[in-house]
Amino acid sequence: MTTQQTDEPILRVRNLGTGYGDLRVVWDVSFDVWPGRLTVLLGRNGAGKTTTLRAVSGLNKATAGSVELGGRDITKAAAHTRVRQGMAYVQEGKRVFHAQTVEQNLLLGGYTRRLKRTELRQEAERMYELFPVLGDKRSLLAGTMSGGQQQMLAIAQAMMAGPRLLMLDEPSGGLAPVIVNEVMERVGLLKETGIGILLVEQAVEASIAVADHVTVLDMGRVVLASAADDLDNLQDAYFGRTPAQGSASRDS
Amino acid sequence: MVLWRTVRAVPGWILALALGLVLLVLPWAGLDFSASRQIQLTLILALVVSGLNLSLGYAGELALGQAAMYASGAYIAGLLSKAGHTDILVQLLVAGLGALAVGVVTGIPGLRLGSWSLAMTSFFLVLLVPDVLAIFPRATGGRNGLSGIQSPTLFGTLLDGTGFYLVISVVAILWFAVLRNIVTSRHGIALRVLKQSPVLAASTGISVFRMKLLAYALGAIPAGLAGALFANLDLYVSPEAFSFTFATTVLSASILGGSASVYGALVGAAVMQFGPNQSSGFQQYALVFTGVFLVVGGVLLTGGLARVCRVLVTRLDRMAQPEVNTVATGTGPAPNIPPYKGATLRIRDVSKAFGGNQALKDVSLEALPGTVTALIGPNGSGKTTLLNMVCGFYRTDSGEITLDGAPLHGLTSDGVARAGVARTFQTPNIPAGVTVLEAVASGRYTGHRTSVLAAVLRTPRFRRVRHEDLREAERMLALVGLDHLRDTEAVSLPLGMRRLLEVARALIDAPGVLLLDEAASGLDEHEVERLASLIRQIRDAGGTVVLVEHNFRLVLALADDIAVLAHGQLITTGPPEAIERDPRVLSEYLGVDPAPTAAHTSTDRMTGAATSGENT
Amino acid sequence: MTLIWGGLALGAVYALVAVCYNIVFISSKTFNFAQAQLIMVGAFVAYTGLVTWKLSVPLVMLLAVASVMALAAIEERLAVRPVKDPHNILVTTLGVSILLNGATQLVWGTQPLNVPFFGGNDVLELFGGQIYPVEIALVLVAVVLVWALTRLSRRFLVGLALLGMSEDREAAMLRGVNVRRLAFGAFAFSGAVAGLLGMFVGPKTFAVATLGASLALKGFVVLAIGGFGSMPGTLVGGLVVGLAEALAARYLGGEYANITVFVILITILLVRPAGLFVRVRERTV
């Protein structure tokens, strides 16, 4: 996988702590995302992955630690201003706007860019090239599409903002295995455009296949951080004990 | 501070009673006519407001039709009086019952709607009052109002000004005593449970609709009484007294005084009566003043003046007794759970689809008494759907769910709870404004019944049930190690303790089956340990426990049987040792096959896919 | 036929109130109880501009729009945004409505004022019924406004953002939408529309300080019948309420007008609890 590698991470998360009210879910999480590379956050459910993304995106307040985007401290910035600064977040559950057409969803994705209408449409055309399934359905209501198509739309909508960092929360959730592969394939392609990608997944194998860096969370803490091609202790990290037989996965 | 402690040692109702006595002797303390009239109007308003508080503050329903019930009470009394029945007691009785009937009849369609629609239909009801009156002009005087009402009598004696003042005061005192008895009883707590969440109410066996109707209909009674009193105060009733403006005054008084309080109605009514209504000499300024008043009051007061007082009292309490301990868990050894017989929960071939999405397919599961059954699976695998179907929140498409052979599918959610299914929630669901002890005791509400009337009269049966409620709740608190916090406000507890409190509430009535939904999430290790030993105790006592859990370690350590769901289907069930080694479970959780050869081929396939992706 | 025209025009007035409610509801899921009073203020401003100051129609229109929009903006800042408990928003906006009632009485007195309609006051014959120009205008304004709002909200990004925000507030934030500012904008915009409507509603109903209360409630009824948040629903709801009221008043007697509307409302809500144009979503725990 050829990627343009720079040493400066686009996203730098340090000692992040967050939660919901007095329920603290994330205790001390640090990781980086580099331009043109993909970092995947793994962990069983309840490990704090989604909550971490929510804090990075500004939906949840960080109670400790810091978040830097492109060298700029954004720990206290409002969620909508982070979008303007180049952060795009695709939430879990394919949250596109069901009552709007595919095209309208895409145009709304470019809300922060202050483009002329024709320029915005050109951007949308680019997305149709990247995600051909959407091109045929541009005037359909998003709510009538299949799960996989909605997921593609959600990603395309986020890309319309022209982000430097794309965060994806379980793009494979609730999708058939074949579709998961297709979605992951697209995610791999997006990496080639030079943006940094932060992926949260439960489909471990499919996501490791496209990842450059792996961070595993458990109980709101980082239990494993390594390059994607050096993963001996994955099952250990998952279950917190010696695996019953052999090691979990050996990436090629 | 010593003074404060002495004051606090006096039960609250004595202070209220003292206020009532002062009210009764005021006429002999040189009360002039206009002040006396203001007090009487305040009391009448307070009665109506307290009716609204029952539905708005306690049951959480924005039902604003009290002005219509007030009107019916007034007209009933007026017509009775014109027909020669001038005895105030007869009038109060008939007016109260008449208003109750109006409340029940209008409540049934309104309460089915809920929220904004209910607010509007009930407000609309108020707007209809003049029209309804105009339809019967001969009886009611139509828009001109009902005149010719006779002076009220009591046991044949004509009541003078002071006499009527006393009647109003006594009625108000009695009603507030009744209200206090209801609100502080288990019924009051059940109402708060309902307000917190209908789902929670149903899960403790409370019929949501009947409880709402109870609150709304009960709230009609004081409005009817107030109407009867009002008719006899001026001996004239006109539709204008029951206008939209009156309804808004009632709402404002309720919110300013604090809807979820007994005496807040009195305070709110006094504020509205002596505040904006006083300046009626300058009609236009009065409106401006009322408006500003509502805006400022609404912005500044969340929970009304009653809440401000409560916060103040709590703060003074804390200053007076700094040694109150709210940190450590557990005092002394936890008592044992006496043996009880859990029930067998049997789920057979259950399927459920939402639209085209098959959420569950042919799932079968059995949970036996004296065992812990765990249900695990990745997000979206159908765990929550299954739980909701057992609890009656979703209907099954096919298959059956039984508890000791009796079918649960087809029952309403509150029916399922009454059949013996108790549960906890992913996010602890605990009503506001009740103590830890009361919150736990609320788990017994439907299992051990007493009527509202029994609560009002404090009958021996009511006292016995209440005594048992409290004794059992204390026992449960000791069991979960929260006994030292019994009088703390339940919602103020930290998360771990709220979870334990939920377990205590679910356990208090020895349920046939106990469903724990992610009970360990968000707990620290010490708390998880406490929870685990509690679950073991329940199992050893003979209870049936079903765990829906993410914490794999806890599940392996606790469960006798583990069922694994994936994509809506049961992929395997078995004891922890088998599940731990089951390749399908590992692959569902990790997406990898633990057998090295298989891992290789599948990784190759994946990498291949990614590479081909790059080439397109 | 005259009866039908009257009912339609009345229904249009209610529908217009409902449209204003909807603008706020879509953006922030709350109701501005003072919405009808804002229209009433618009009618009074129109009276002052047209009759007292004898200004030209466009100037008065501008004046009405600007002043009521400013009022709405102030209301949002002082009486809506600082409120934490949603129940209390009911009280504070109710407070604003009472305040506006009182203030208008102070400024304009309690007598109904006849606001002249700029399109003329001569009765016209239409399909065998008599109708005032302002009544035609009201029906047209209601239809055009609903059509325009529905079209424009899909045409402009701000409109899409508003619709998106009403569907999923969080998802809209993640597309870079400043939801608080947009909610404020929608509130002010609903004020601007209310100001404009005062020019049309005033000639039909007179400018009078008691106008607000009945408009407020009927607007709500229209909204409940059509479904909260549905723009086409306001037209259908207005049609139903306006005609029911006119017909009941004519054939059953004036005192039956409200009762008939009430019965219709309850019946519709019992059959479709979320109104005619909104579907109830499957319940989740």
Side-chain angles (χ1 to χ4, degrees):
Chain A
M1 293 179 203
T2 50
T3 49
Q4 54 279 58
Q5 305 205 343
T6 48
D7 287 320
E8 270 308 298
I10 180 71
L11 178 73
R12 189 197 296 267
V13 176
R14 286 293 172 272
N15 309 104
L16 185 71
T18 184
Y20 307 87
D22 61 350
L23 169 53
R24 183 131 188 217
V25 178
V26 171
W27 297 86
D28 181 13
V29 168
S30 304
F31 60 88
D32 294 309
V33 182
W34 286 269
R37 288 195 250 169
L38 190 150
T39 299
V40 61
L41 277 185
L42 298 174
R44 291 181 289 110
N45 43 12
K49 307 182 297 281
T50 297
T51 316
T52 301
L53 285 197
R54 289 180 65 89
V56 171
S57 72
L59 290 180
N60 283 27
K61 241 184 232 158
T63 50
S66 66
V67 180
E68 277 177 33
L69 182 69
R72 190 158 157 199
D73 187 356
I74 55 162
T75 316
K76 293 197 159 50
H80 64 92
T81 60
R82 295 186 199 204
V83 180
R84 210 174 281 279
Q85 290 168 11
M87 177 185 282
Y89 174 22
V90 178
Q91 283 180 288
E92 123 189 75
K94 306 172 277 282
R95 283 163 79 167
V96 291
F97 301 112
H98 288 213
Q100 300 184 17
T101 65
V102 170
E103 175 111 348
Q104 286 166 344
N105 265 287
L106 286 185
L107 296 182
L108 183 50
Y111 183 76
T112 52
R113 293 182 71 181
R114 303 173 194 282
L115 292 176
K116 286 202 199 97
R117 198 154 182 89
T118 48
E119 292 170 324
L120 208 53
R121 284 198 190 282
Q122 278 166 16
E123 282 295 302
E125 288 302 327
R126 279 189 43 210
M127 290 304 145
Y128 294 136
E129 279 164 32
L130 262 170
F131 302 91
V133 278
L134 300 179
D136 313 331
K137 318 227 167 197
R138 52 184 82 187
S139 52
L140 273 185
L141 286 184
T144 61
M145 298 202 304
S146 74
Q149 292 163 349
Q150 285 187 13
Q151 188 59 64
M152 302 281 192
L153 175 59
I155 298 172
Q157 189 188 34
M159 288 300 291
M160 282 292 289
R164 297 186 283 168
L165 171 74
L166 178 66
M167 306 198 291
L168 301 168
D169 194 354
E170 290 207 26
S172 76
L175 301 182
V178 191
I179 314 281
V180 172
N181 289 344
E182 197 187 332
V183 170
M184 286 304 166
E185 204 174 284
R186 299 291 147 194
V187 170
L189 279 180
L190 291 176
K191 203 164 71 165
E192 305 299 311
T193 65
I195 64 171
I197 299 179
L198 176 59
L199 177 66
V200 158
E201 259 305 335
Q202 288 207 24
V204 175
E205 195 169 352
S207 52
I208 289 178
V210 293
D212 300 291
H213 302 273
V214 176
T215 299
V216 181
L217 301 185
D218 193 32
M219 311 285 277
R221 294 178 180 83
V222 175
V223 289
L224 179 72
S226 95
D229 42 18
D230 181 26
L231 280 175
D232 274 339
N233 307 317
L234 188 60
Q235 191 172 356
D236 248 1
Y238 254 64
F239 293 99
R241 67 196 162 81
T242 321
Q245 42 177 241
S247 63
S249 155
R250 218 162 267 122
D251 205 76
S252 53
Chain B
M1 282 305 107
V2 178
L3 178 70
W4 176 251
R5 243 175 287 175
T6 326
V7 173
R8 285 290 282 162
V10 180
W13 61 269
I14 292 202
L15 295 177
L17 192 69
L19 182 71
L21 287 176
V22 170
L23 203 60
L24 290 178
V25 298
L26 270 182
W28 289 275
L31 190 68
D32 69 6
F33 175 78
S34 83
S36 160
R37 187 178 159 79
Q38 285 293 336
I39 289 175
Q40 294 180 57
L41 287 173
T42 301
L43 292 176
I44 289 173
L45 182 59
L47 283 172
V48 184
V49 173
S50 77
L52 174 62
N53 281 356
L54 259 178
S55 57
L56 176 62
Y58 287 98
E61 285 296 324
L62 211 54
L64 312 166
Q66 275 69 28
M69 299 158 198
Y70 177 53
S72 46
Y75 274 91
I76 287 172
L79 292 173
L80 278 176
S81 175
K82 284 183 79 173
H85 305 285
T86 53
D87 194 298
I88 189 74
L89 290 182
V90 175
Q91 290 185 14
L92 284 171
L93 184 69
V94 180
L97 290 175
L100 182 66
V102 173
V104 172
V105 170
T106 59
I108 287 172
L111 288 172
R112 285 201 182 279
L113 304 173
S115 74
W116 290 102
S117 300
L118 174 60
M120 194 194 39
T121 46
S122 55
F123 242 139
F124 202 155
L125 196 64
V126 177
L127 201 76
L128 288 183
V129 170
D131 292 325
V132 174
L133 294 173
I135 292 174
F136 308 102
R138 209 165 307 155
T140 64
R143 294 184 198 279
N144 298 326
L146 184 68
S147 48
I149 300 173
Q150 304 292 308
S151 290
T153 58
L154 185 64
F155 303 122
T157 328
L158 200 65
L159 285 168
D160 61 353
T162 308
F164 193 67
Y165 172 94
L166 291 178
V167 168
I168 290 188
S169 303
V170 169
V171 169
I173 290 168
L174 284 179
W175 167 254
F176 276 99
V178 165
L179 183 65
R180 179 206 160 266
N181 277 359
I182 294 175
V183 163
T184 57
S185 76
R186 58 214 310 275
H187 301 289
I189 294 163
L191 283 174
R192 286 164 193 264
V193 168
L194 175 65
K195 186 187 183 187
Q196 165 67 23
S197 136
V199 170
L200 172 62
S203 301
T204 36
I206 297 169
S207 161
V208 172
F209 180 73
R210 277 173 52 185
M211 201 70 200
K212 282 181 183 172
L213 188 60
L214 177 74
Y216 190 61
L218 272 180
I221 295 176
L225 298 180
L229 294 171
F230 179 70
N232 283 295
L233 179 67
D234 282 357
L235 302 180
Y236 169 71
V237 187
S238 99
E240 274 168 32
F242 314 107
S243 62
F244 200 69
T245 319
F246 179 75
T248 58
T249 306
V250 172
L251 177 64
S252 310
S254 167
I255 286 175
L256 291 177
S259 306
S261 69
V262 177
Y263 306 112
L266 209 55
V267 179
V271 169
M272 289 307 287
Q273 190 63 43
F274 286 90
N277 285 11
Q278 186 74 314
S279 49
S280 54
F282 311 91
Q283 179 67 34
Q284 301 94 321
Y285 290 105
L287 285 177
V288 173
F289 183 64
T290 312
V292 172
F293 189 75
L294 290 184
V295 172
V296 173
V299 169
L300 294 185
L301 300 174
T302 304
L305 286 166
R307 197 187 132 79
V308 175
C309 291
R310 237 170 263 149
V311 168
L312 203 68
V313 166
T314 319
R315 204 166 290 168
L316 280 167
D317 276 355
R318 221 169 276 159
M319 279 160 65
Q321 294 169 285
E323 73 276 14
V324 171
N325 178 3
T326 53
V327 190
T329 42
T331 55
N336 279 321
I337 304 177
Y340 77 99
K341 182 84 172 71
T344 303
L345 175 71
R346 196 165 277 136
I347 298 169
R348 191 173 292 152
D349 298 329
V350 161
S351 298
K352 176 77 186 172
F354 296 103
N357 175 20
Q358 189 75 35
L360 285 177
K361 193 157 178 266
D362 297 332
V363 174
S364 298
L365 190 69
E366 199 174 51
L368 297 170
T371 65
V372 175
T373 308
L375 188 59
I376 64 170
N379 271 347
S381 58
K383 298 184 304 262
T384 309
T385 309
L386 187 60
L387 198 68
N388 284 335
M389 295 226 290
V390 172
C391 292
F393 289 110
Y394 296 146
R395 296 255 169 276
T396 49
D397 289 348
S398 65
E400 56 180 33
I401 304 172
T402 58
L403 194 66
D404 269 351
L408 292 181
H409 56 275
L411 292 183
T412 55
S413 45
D414 51 300
V416 169
R418 287 196 296 272
V421 177
R423 70 176 289 182
T424 66
F425 295 86
Q426 268 184 43
T427 323
N429 213 337
I430 288 166
V434 305
T435 66
V436 169
L437 192 70
E438 289 168 333
V440 172
S442 71
R444 278 169 56 93
Y445 183 69
T446 45
H448 306 265
R449 288 179 173 275
T450 57
S451 66
V452 174
L453 193 64
V456 170
L457 301 175
R458 305 267 144 163
T459 59
R461 176 177 162 71
F462 170 81
R463 284 169 191 279
R464 199 181 68 240
V465 170
R466 187 178 63 165
H467 181 72
E468 286 165 8
D469 277 357
L470 297 183
R471 200 188 57 211
E472 283 299 300
E474 274 171 5
R475 211 166 58 79
M476 284 299 137
L477 282 180
L479 194 66
V480 299
L482 295 178
D483 43 342
H484 59 300
L485 296 173
R486 46 170 285 172
D487 295 324
T488 315
E489 193 181 2
V491 284
S492 71
L493 292 185
L495 177 86
M497 295 186 188
R498 293 206 303 264
R499 284 211 189 283
L500 291 172
L501 189 156
E502 279 213 315
V503 176
R505 178 176 65 197
L507 196 58
I508 191 170
D509 218 11
V513 54
L514 177 62
L515 307 176
L516 300 175
D517 192 1
E518 314 257 339
S521 83
L523 299 192
D524 66 26
E525 290 185 9
H526 175 79
E527 289 165 331
V528 170
E529 204 36 62
R530 172 131 221 152
L531 181 72
S533 79
L534 183 62
I535 293 172
R536 277 194 202 99
Q537 266 184 292
I538 299 168
R539 173 185 62 193
D540 296 343
T544 311
V545 181
V546 176
L547 278 180
V548 174
E549 198 43 79
H550 279 147
N551 190 323
F552 206 74
R553 257 169 291 181
L554 182 70
V555 167
L556 289 177
L558 266 182
D560 299 294
D561 257 313
I562 301 179
V564 186
L565 271 179
H567 309 295
Q569 277 173 302
L570 204 60
I571 56 172
T572 181
T573 51
E577 310 80 55
I579 296 297
E580 198 171 10
R581 291 201 188 83
D582 193 307
R584 279 171 302 173
V585 176
L586 289 174
S587 90
E588 272 310 324
Y589 263 89
L590 289 170
V592 290
D593 210 319
T597 49
H600 232 91
T601 49
S602 88
T603 316
D604 285 345
R605 185 173 51 76
M606 287 309 304
T607 322
T611 321
S612 72
E614 280 168 18
N615 293 341
T616 37
Chain C
M1 208 58 210
T2 308
L3 188 68
I4 303 280
W5 290 135
L8 279 181
L10 197 62
V13 172
Y14 297 152
L16 289 170
V17 179
V19 166
C20 291
Y21 279 137
N22 247 345
I23 296 171
V24 173
F25 180 75
I26 287 173
S27 66
S28 49
K29 295 275 178 278
T30 51
F31 291 101
N32 177 11
F33 230 99
Q35 200 78 59
Q37 274 72 17
L38 291 177
I39 295 180
M40 175 188 80
V41 173
F44 277 115
V45 172
Y47 175 84
T48 304
L50 290 171
V51 177
T52 316
W53 295 343
K54 301 195 170 30
L55 299 174
S56 69
V57 171
L59 206 59
V60 174
M61 215 174 260
L62 198 69
L63 188 69
V65 167
S67 55
V68 180
M69 185 168 86
L71 266 181
I74 294 171
E75 183 192 351
E76 205 271 355
R77 279 297 152 102
L78 296 183
V80 175
R81 182 169 297 191
V83 182
K84 289 178 193 77
D85 179 356
H87 272 175
N88 278 22
I89 289 188
L90 192 69
V91 178
T92 52
T93 56
L94 193 67
V96 172
S97 75
I98 294 174
L99 176 67
L100 289 178
N101 272 342
T104 45
Q105 283 184 21
L106 285 180
V107 178
W108 284 283
T110 50
Q111 290 305 308
L113 301 175
N114 192 357
V115 183
F117 181 56
F118 53 84
N121 284 323
D122 308 321
V123 183
L124 304 173
E125 286 279 334
L126 195 64
F127 298 118
Q130 295 186 327
I131 187 167
Y132 286 99
V134 66
E135 295 183 315
I136 301 177
L138 275 169
V139 175
L140 285 179
V141 166
V143 174
V144 168
L145 189 65
V146 166
W147 178 81
L149 286 177
T150 322
R151 286 288 301 184
L152 294 181
S153 64
R154 303 230 160 237
R155 178 111 186 82
F156 288 103
L157 273 189
V158 176
L160 288 177
L162 202 63
L163 294 177
M165 179 170 138
S166 116
E167 191 178 326
D168 187 338
R169 206 176 164 82
E170 206 168 67
M173 263 155 87
L174 291 177
R175 301 284 77 82
V177 178
N178 185 345
V179 289
R180 287 185 77 176
R181 202 165 74 192
L182 202 56
F184 173 70
F187 208 98
F189 177 68
S190 81
V193 174
L196 179 71
L197 295 180
M199 305 266 309
F200 295 91
V201 175
K204 164 89 179 156
T205 60
F206 294 102
V208 56
T210 51
L211 182 61
S214 69
L215 281 190
L217 204 71
K218 291 293 166 55
F220 244 42
V221 172
V222 166
L223 208 56
I225 289 178
F228 296 120
S230 163
M231 283 294 176
T234 58
L235 286 184
V236 176
L239 187 79
V240 170
V241 175
L243 286 182
E245 212 176 305
L247 292 173
R250 171 69 179 76
Y251 294 109
L252 299 173
E255 58 272 25
Y256 286 94
N258 281 329
I259 295 173
T260 310
V261 173
F262 186 70
V263 170
I264 292 175
L265 170 73
I266 291 279
T267 316
I268 289 179
L269 287 184
L270 285 181
V271 180
R272 300 207 46 140
L276 293 174
F277 286 79
V278 176
R279 229 174 273 159
V280 192
R281 295 203 179 146
E282 183 141 15
R283 147 182 189 185
T284 47
V285 178

